[in-house]
Amino acid sequence: MQEAVHMRVGVVIAAAGEGKRMGAEGNKVLLPLRGRPMLQYSIECFAAMEEVTDLVVVTRAVDLELVRELARQAAPSRSVQVVAGGAERQESVYLGLKVLPLDTDWVIIHDGARPFINPELVRRGLEAAFVHKAVGLAVPVKDTIKRVQEGFVVDTLNRAELWAMQTPQIFSFELILAAHERARELGLQATDDCALVEKLGHPVYIAAGEYGNIKITTPDDLPRREEVSVGFGYDVHRLVADRPLVLGGVTIPYEKGLLGHSDADVLTHAIMDALLGAMGEGDIGEHFPDTDQRYAGISSMLLLRHVMDLVNAGGWEICSVDAVIMAQQPKLSPWKAAIRASLAQALGIAERHVSVKATTTEGLGFVGREEGIAVQAVAALRTRQC
Ligand code: MG
């Protein structure tokens, strides 16, 4: 960005919000996000940009010392000015503008509650500002927006024309200062800085923002820390005459089948135990006791559906499931693909995330004597990302 080298580019980060909607005591931009105060991410982003010459953070008077210390940690090689804001965001931004040097050329205004910006996104806006003097980053609205009065729709807006405004918003210093001063004279209030420039009658250009550049407004907006959990399952059923042999919901033609209270699908049982284990939810014996007549002869795929309800209700998603079937007879290789497909469907994941392997035990043990079939399974789960 050659143009910027000789220019004075100031940044004003608005960080004086009370965070009432966060249910937070104090300043929401100081709440931890992945272990660090949310505000730190924005300061780091701008401090890393060599185009930026002046960096101002506007915060609550009571947080001045805290934020100064945070800025020293986030940007040790920079001198960051931290000043007290006003009662409203607009007033705070104005106070931030007033401490920038008078020869400032461009101003980047950013909300401290948008921690997911990056220099590339800021540069996109800055380059557009060199041409258009006033630029807001924004994304097309995905939802249908209706105007509602007293509980009833009065209008459906044309979605093709609707954009959700983000920050940074970038202006020529002269223009934004004039817009703020005029708003103060006339008592105009707006929820973003572009609106003040619009009220001056100056065109505002829209540059492409990013959907990931969200504003943290309620606790639901805070990305949850991802958790990964692994569970293990093991099951054995006896092979007897006159029973079906069901593995992973697939009935396999064989002279013997597995004995059990349900359909004795030993593979599905081991997988359910692995899933329950990963969630810390006990085992299938606790969830489906064999003393309960409801489960007599039931398809284990229905039991798996119940376990999947627990997976979903717990906010988990399945990364992968891997199982080894230990059987001397019958030969299972012709059935592995069908079993894998059946399980992938029941688990709601791609087939490549399901693995079904089979082995004999070289004639050893109860499996080798064809008295039963054993299965071991592991399941990896992670917390669902919003
Ligand atoms: Mg079992």
Side-chain angles (χ1 to χ4, degrees):
M1 189 172 289
Q2 200 57 41
E3 298 95 319
V5 172
H6 306 293
M7 289 179 180
R8 209 158 184 143
V9 177
V11 172
V12 174
I13 301 178
E18 290 281 338
K20 291 184 195 92
R21 281 177 290 181
M22 290 292 285
E25 283 293 311
N27 197 337
K28 72 173 174 184
V29 297
L30 299 176
L31 289 176
L33 170 65
R34 294 179 185 140
R36 296 189 295 155
M38 200 192 298
L39 176 60
Q40 198 167 330
Y41 294 85
S42 298
I43 297 177
E44 280 173 3
C45 169
F46 293 112
M49 294 181 65
E50 58 181 25
E51 301 93 325
V52 170
T53 48
D54 301 275
L55 192 40
V56 178
V57 180
V58 189
T59 192
R60 304 189 312 173
V62 291
D63 295 325
L64 281 173
E65 277 319 305
L66 215 60
V67 172
R68 278 183 187 131
E69 180 51 35
L70 190 155
R72 271 192 288 272
Q73 284 175 21
S77 61
R78 290 265 189 178
S79 136
V80 179
Q81 287 196 77
V82 180
V83 297
E88 299 295 332
R89 180 189 179 281
Q90 188 174 316
E91 172 77 2
S92 295
V93 170
Y94 178 72
L95 293 170
L97 293 172
K98 291 300 279 180
V99 299
L100 284 171
L102 290 175
D103 62 344
T104 298
D105 298 295
W106 303 98
V107 184
I108 300 167
I109 300 173
H110 183 64
D111 285 325
R114 289 189 193 269
F116 301 116
I117 46 156
N118 53 75
E120 199 183 327
L121 185 60
V122 180
R123 285 190 183 110
R124 193 186 298 161
L126 190 56
E127 281 177 12
F130 293 154
V131 179
H132 301 287
K133 304 261 190 296
V135 171
L137 271 80
V139 287
V141 167
K142 291 181 190 172
D143 298 318
T144 296
I145 308 279
K146 293 183 189 287
R147 285 205 308 117
V148 175
Q149 285 174 5
E150 291 165 8
F152 290 93
V153 172
V154 293
D155 197 10
T156 299
L157 303 177
N158 177 10
R159 189 173 62 184
E161 293 181 349
L162 296 175
W163 290 68
M165 297 307 294
Q166 302 185 336
T167 66
Q169 297 186 351
I170 301 152
F171 309 93
S172 102
F173 184 54
E174 214 177 338
L175 179 62
I176 192 63
L177 204 55
H180 268 269
E181 278 169 352
R182 181 156 182 273
R184 290 168 72 80
E185 279 164 30
L186 301 180
L188 303 174
Q189 286 289 330
T191 51
D192 75 343
D193 299 280
C194 284
L196 301 181
V197 173
E198 291 159 46
K199 284 175 178 164
L200 269 189
H202 192 287
V204 173
Y205 182 76
I206 293 295
E210 287 176 1
Y211 285 104
N213 178 26
I214 57 167
K215 186 172 190 177
I216 309 286
T217 307
T218 69
D220 288 343
D221 299 331
L222 281 171
R224 276 178 290 174
R225 195 178 293 224
E226 190 181 65
E227 214 181 298
V228 173
S229 187
V230 171
F232 178 73
Y234 177 70
D235 197 23
V236 175
H237 280 262
R238 191 182 287 273
L239 267 175
V240 294
D242 301 323
R243 284 277 298 182
L245 174 59
V246 182
L247 292 172
V250 176
T251 303
I252 292 161
Y254 185 52
E255 63 200 44
K256 290 190 271 185
L258 295 170
L259 183 65
H261 184 60
S262 63
D263 64 357
D265 182 340
V266 62
L267 172 59
T268 301
H269 291 185
I271 289 172
M272 285 193 284
D273 259 353
L275 294 169
L276 291 169
M279 294 187 285
E281 289 280 355
D283 61 32
I284 56 172
E286 294 166 32
H287 287 269
F288 315 110
D290 59 11
T291 50
D292 190 330
Q293 281 311 304
R294 281 181 303 166
Y295 304 126
I298 195 172
S299 164
S300 297
M301 298 307 266
L302 293 176
L303 305 181
L304 176 57
R305 204 174 292 170
H306 174 79
V307 173
M308 287 304 298
D309 288 342
L310 292 177
V311 169
N312 292 323
W316 295 99
E317 64 184 21
I318 300 173
C319 305
S320 65
V321 166
D322 183 20
V324 184
I325 307 168
M326 286 160 271
Q328 195 64 40
Q329 285 290 338
K331 198 168 168 46
L332 292 172
S333 53
W335 301 97
K336 282 197 293 191
I339 292 170
R340 188 186 195 195
S342 162
L343 286 171
Q345 197 186 8
L347 295 165
I349 56 177
E351 283 186 36
R352 68 196 156 88
H353 293 141
V354 180
S355 161
V356 176
K357 310 192 291 293
T359 185
T360 69
T361 59
E362 301 284 346
L364 297 170
F366 69 85
V367 169
R369 293 189 298 271
E370 297 173 40
E371 293 167 5
I373 292 179
V375 174
Q376 294 185 343
V378 287
L381 306 188
R382 65 168 166 250
T383 45
R384 208 166 32 232
Q385 295 299 291
C386 329

